[in-house]
Amino acid sequence: MSVDEVMARVEELAGVEERPASENGPYNGKRSVPLVELTGGEPLLQEEIYPLAEKLVRAGYTVMIETSGERLVGRLPREVIKIVDVKCPDSGEADTFDMENLDAVDEKDEIKFVISSRKDYEFAREFTREHRLNEKVKQVLFSPVFDDPEGKWKGLEPRQLVEWMLEDGLPVRLGLQLHKFVWHPATKGV
């Protein structure tokens, strides 16, 4: 889809009626869906994400993006709420994080760690402390890995992660993938 086609679809889903041709500036009416979250595999791999984010912001939407942290988020409009992953060692991708992202996030953004073991937890804890993430972003999220539905890897019990967080007195929030509690964890498209 082109950027304009995506915008038209978002406005259709958000309940936005077409504006008269004489109107300029952002949409000022009410819509049933004021928030758009850009996600996917890695949304920053698509060059069109930047003009799309700009158009969504100009149209008055609250825009969020979830990204793996391997690409710089600094090219996005300042108003976009960035949720940036820092890959932990057990992911096999711990060296992919672009450290410049720490200078590109601010008080409205979030940093997220997906944790599958004590080793991952300790990495996330030390990274959070070393880079003073709580002073840079709105929220630091620690999210436990879910069991792989095909049995390829074991997940981390949320309670175990919470116990470690409480034991260390970390000022971080537990993040759970709620769709995996509502639907079977292997369900796609929810």
Side-chain angles (χ1 to χ4, degrees), residues 84-99:
V84 183
D85 280 3
V86 176
K87 301 295 185 192
C88 293
D90 288 346
S91 72
E93 300 177 12
D95 60 346
T96 62
F97 183 72
D98 185 339
M99 293 298 285

Side-chain angles (χ1 to χ4, degrees), residues 104-158:
V105 294
D106 62 31
E107 67 279 349
K108 72 181 172 341
D109 301 323
E110 299 179 357
I111 300 285
K112 181 175 74 172
F113 297 87
V114 178
I115 299 171
S116 66
S117 67
R118 180 69 189 197
K119 179 171 121 181
D120 279 356
Y121 169 77
E122 290 173 0
F123 168 84
R125 178 189 66 201
E126 295 314 309
F127 191 99
T128 298
R129 287 177 175 164
E130 178 183 342
H131 298 287
R132 302 169 71 152
L133 296 182
N134 293 92
E135 297 173 21
K136 294 178 187 248
V137 296
K138 180 178 183 177
Q139 194 66 62
V140 177
L141 303 168
F142 281 22
S143 182
V145 168
F146 234 83
D147 284 338
D148 178 61
E150 297 176 12
K152 294 179 185 170
W153 64 79
K154 182 90 175 105
L156 177 64
E157 284 295 321

Side-chain angles (χ1 to χ4, degrees), residues 7 26 51-63 77-81:
M7 283 298 299
L52 175 61
E54 186 67 45
K55 280 189 168 198
L56 288 165
V57 166
R58 278 198 321 262
Y61 290 96
T62 298
V63 180
R78 185 189 55 75
E79 299 87 352
V80 172
I81 299 167

Side-chain angles (χ1 to χ4, degrees), residues 9-16 27 30-34 36 61:
R9 182 70 174 130
V10 166
E11 293 200 340
E12 177 186 323
L13 291 169
V16 176
Y27 174 78
K30 291 187 177 184
R31 47 170 77 96
S32 60
V33 180
V36 175
Y61 290 96

